[in-house]
Amino acid sequence: MSILKDWKIHVAAFIIVVICELIGAHKVQMGPGVLLFLPMLYAMVLGGIVSWPRLKIINLQEMNAASTVLSLTTFILVAKLGLIIGPSLVKVVQSGLALSLQELGHFLGTVILGLPLAIFLGLGREAIGATFSIDREPNIAIIAEKYGMDSPEGRGVMSVYICGTLFGAVWLGLLAGYLAALNLFHPYALAMGAGVGSGSMMAAASGAIIAVFPENKNEILMYAGASNLLTTIIGIYFCLFVSLPLTERLYKILTPIIGKNQANPKTHGGVAK
Amino acid sequence: MKTGETVLVLLLMGVMIVVGNTIGYHYPITDAMIGYLMIMAVTLIGMGLAKIMPIKLPMVFWISLIALLATSPISPYAGLITAYTNKVDFLALITPILAYAGLSVGKDLVMFKKMSWRIVIVALTVYTGTFVCATAVAQLMLKLEGII
C-alpha cells in the first residue's frame, strides 16, 4: 500500500477541499463579463502553493503519488459523466451531428489559433509539437513515437503539456465562465466546447458554465461529457492522421511568411536546454 | 497499481468528495455515500473490463460504457442509480481532483522555469483555440438543426 504511505498528501488534499468548499463560489465583475471563482480553482492554487518546492512541505515522491491519485480520480469523473448521460442517451444521439462536427473545432482549434502565433513569436519546429493538439498524454505519445522526445517537436509538446498541468484547468475555468457570462453562446454550445479531451480541464470549464446557467446543469454536463468522450476516444486517431500532418504542412507554408528570426536558430525553441 | 490499492485510494477520495459535497452543496450525507459507492463500482467494473477484454480500448471507453448502460433506459435500476448518484454534485467531485492536481504541480515547476514566456502564451492560446472553435461550431450546428 505504498500510496497510503504518502499520507501527507491525502491529509493536505482533505484540508484543502474542506477550506475551499467553506469559502464557496464568488463572482467578480470584469468588463462585460464575470470572472467566476469556484472552490475547484482555489483547490488548484492552494495545492500548488503547498507543493511549491521551496516550502519543502511535500517531497517529490509525494508529488508523484498525487499525480497517480489524479489519474485515478479522473476515472471517477468519467464514470459520473457516463451516469449523467445515460438517461438522456436519446437526446445526445439527436444532437449527434452538432456533437460530431464540433469535434472538428476541438481538433483544429488548437492549430488555427496556436500555430500562427507560435510561428510569429519565433518558435521553430517546437511550434508543431506545441500546437497540433491540446498536448495531453496520448498526444505526447504520438510525438514521442514520430520525432522522439529530444526533438524540437518533443520539447514543444512537453512545454505545452506542463503549461496545461499548471494552468490548463484554471485558465479554462476562468475563460469558460467569462464567455458564458457574456451570453454570446448558448449553454449547450459552450458545454460541447468544454469537452476539450482532458478530464480536469473539461471539469473546470463545465463547472464554470454550470455556475452561470445553473438551470441547465444536467444538459451542460451531458453535452460536455459526451463531447469530452468523443474527443478522448477519436482524438488519438484524428491527431495522428489529420492534425499532425496538417500542422506540419501549415508550418512549412506559414514560416516563410510570418516567421521571424530565421537567421538566428538560438532564438528558436521554447525550452532552453 | 494493484487492485486493493486502487480500491483504497478510491475510498479515500470518496471521503473527501462526500465531505466536500456536504459542506458545499448540502446533500444528505448517507445518500451521497451510497451514490459515491455506485460511481466507484462503475469505475472499478470498467477498469476490470479494460483489463480482461480481448479488444484493446482505452479504460475511459469501458468506464463510460458501463456508466451509460447503468442509467440508460435499458437498465432496470436506472432510476435508483440516477437518484443516488445525483446526490453527489459534479462540482464536489472536481474540487479534490484539482486539489491533487495542484499538489502534483511542484514537480513540474523545475521544467517550467526553463521555458520561455512565448511558449506559455502559445499554450494558453492552444487551450483557448480548442474551446472557442468547438463552441462556435457547436453553436452554428445547434442553430442549423433547430435544437437551440
Side-chain angles (χ1 to χ4, degrees):
Chain A
M1 299 299 146
S2 66
I3 203 110
L4 291 181
K5 269 189 209 140
D6 306 307
W7 56 271
K8 240 195 239 174
I9 214 88
H10 306 297
V11 174
F14 184 77
I15 296 171
I16 290 171
V17 168
V18 171
I19 294 174
C20 296
E21 293 296 358
L22 282 173
I23 301 174
H26 289 277
K27 283 182 189 173
V28 175
Q29 191 75 35
M30 209 183 85
V34 171
L35 272 189
L36 272 171
F37 292 94
L38 297 170
M40 57 178 180
L41 297 185
Y42 323 141
M44 176 104 203
V45 174
L46 280 180
I49 293 171
V50 172
S51 88
W52 199 272
R54 225 174 261 165
L55 292 179
K56 293 197 165 72
I57 301 173
I58 51 177
N59 61 33
L60 190 65
Q61 189 206 327
E62 286 161 338
M63 288 174 200
N64 284 327
S67 202
T68 315
V69 176
L70 180 64
S71 49
L72 259 182
T73 55
T74 45
F75 289 137
I76 289 278
L77 193 70
V78 168
K80 167 78 179 163
L81 285 168
L83 291 165
I84 293 171
I85 302 170
S88 352
L89 211 50
V90 181
K91 213 170 161 186
V92 172
V93 174
Q94 278 167 353
S95 0
L97 193 60
L99 256 176
S100 318
L101 283 177
Q102 61 85 31
E103 281 304 328
L104 284 176
H106 276 307
F107 294 129
L108 303 178
T110 62
V111 189
I112 294 169
L113 278 185
L115 187 68
L117 180 77
I119 295 172
F120 177 75
L121 288 175
L123 297 194
R125 292 189 62 88
E126 278 85 354
I128 296 171
T131 65
F132 88 106
S133 72
I134 65 158
D135 289 356
R136 300 322 292 166
E137 287 84 352
N139 311 117
I140 297 179
I142 293 174
I143 293 289
E145 202 182 334
K146 194 139 189 217
Y147 306 94
M149 288 318 283
D150 262 343
S151 60
E153 292 85 352
R155 287 196 295 278
V157 78
M158 271 320 286
S159 304
V160 172
Y161 172 75
I162 290 165
C163 286
T165 311
L166 297 180
F167 315 117
V170 174
W171 175 258
L172 273 178
L174 292 174
L175 177 73
Y178 196 79
L179 268 185
L182 284 181
N183 257 319
L184 278 173
F185 296 108
H186 193 276
Y188 297 175
L190 288 159
M192 290 184 185
V196 295
S198 146
S200 55
M201 291 185 213
M202 183 280 290
S206 44
I209 301 166
I210 292 167
V212 179
F213 302 103
E215 66 280 13
N216 296 111
K217 183 178 175 186
N218 270 335
E219 286 94 344
I220 291 168
L221 288 177
M222 180 181 97
Y223 285 128
S227 161
N228 202 57
L229 194 61
L230 275 176
T231 316
T232 311
I233 291 172
I234 57 174
I236 191 149
Y237 305 104
F238 198 93
C239 285
L240 189 58
F241 297 116
V242 184
S243 303
L244 189 54
L246 183 82
T247 313
E248 276 266 9
R249 183 154 307 169
L250 278 177
Y251 174 80
K252 283 191 187 120
I253 298 170
L254 289 176
T255 301
I257 307 169
I258 52 173
K260 51 182 184 182
N261 301 329
Q262 286 304 306
N264 183 2
K266 272 192 182 158
T267 56
H268 289 198
V271 184
K273 274 235 116 178
Chain B
M1 201 186 281
K2 288 185 197 101
T3 314
E5 210 171 5
T6 305
V7 173
L8 260 176
V9 171
L10 291 182
L11 282 174
L12 203 68
M13 282 296 306
V15 174
M16 289 182 215
I17 290 169
V18 171
V19 169
N21 192 57
T22 312
I23 299 174
Y25 311 93
H26 315 292
Y27 288 104
I29 196 158
T30 5
D31 288 6
M33 268 157 69
I34 300 171
Y36 180 79
L37 287 176
M38 287 175 167
I39 301 174
M40 199 178 130
V42 165
T43 312
L44 290 171
I45 296 170
M47 290 171 93
L49 273 182
K51 272 188 192 149
I52 57 167
M53 280 296 177
I55 332 159
K56 283 288 153 235
L57 281 166
M59 245 176 214
V60 174
F61 173 83
W62 294 111
I63 298 171
S64 308
L65 186 71
I66 298 297
L68 281 173
L69 291 177
T71 53
S72 69
I74 62 156
S75 160
Y77 307 107
L80 192 74
I81 300 175
T82 308
Y84 278 111
T85 52
N86 269 346
K87 298 284 176 356
V88 182
D89 199 281
F90 181 74
L91 287 168
L93 221 71
I94 320 175
T95 310
I97 294 180
L98 287 194
Y100 276 105
L103 287 168
S104 68
V105 152
K107 67 183 168 56
D108 296 314
L109 280 175
V110 184
M111 274 282 275
F112 179 69
K113 279 186 193 148
K114 291 184 190 157
M115 275 157 37
S116 88
W117 58 272
R118 284 171 293 178
I119 201 90
V120 180
I121 294 178
V122 170
L124 295 182
T125 310
V126 162
Y127 294 123
T128 308
T130 188
F131 175 69
V132 174
C133 288
T135 303
V137 177
Q139 174 90 7
L140 184 75
M141 285 313 298
L142 288 167
K143 269 255 162 69
L144 285 179
E145 285 188 276
I147 296 173
I148 56 171

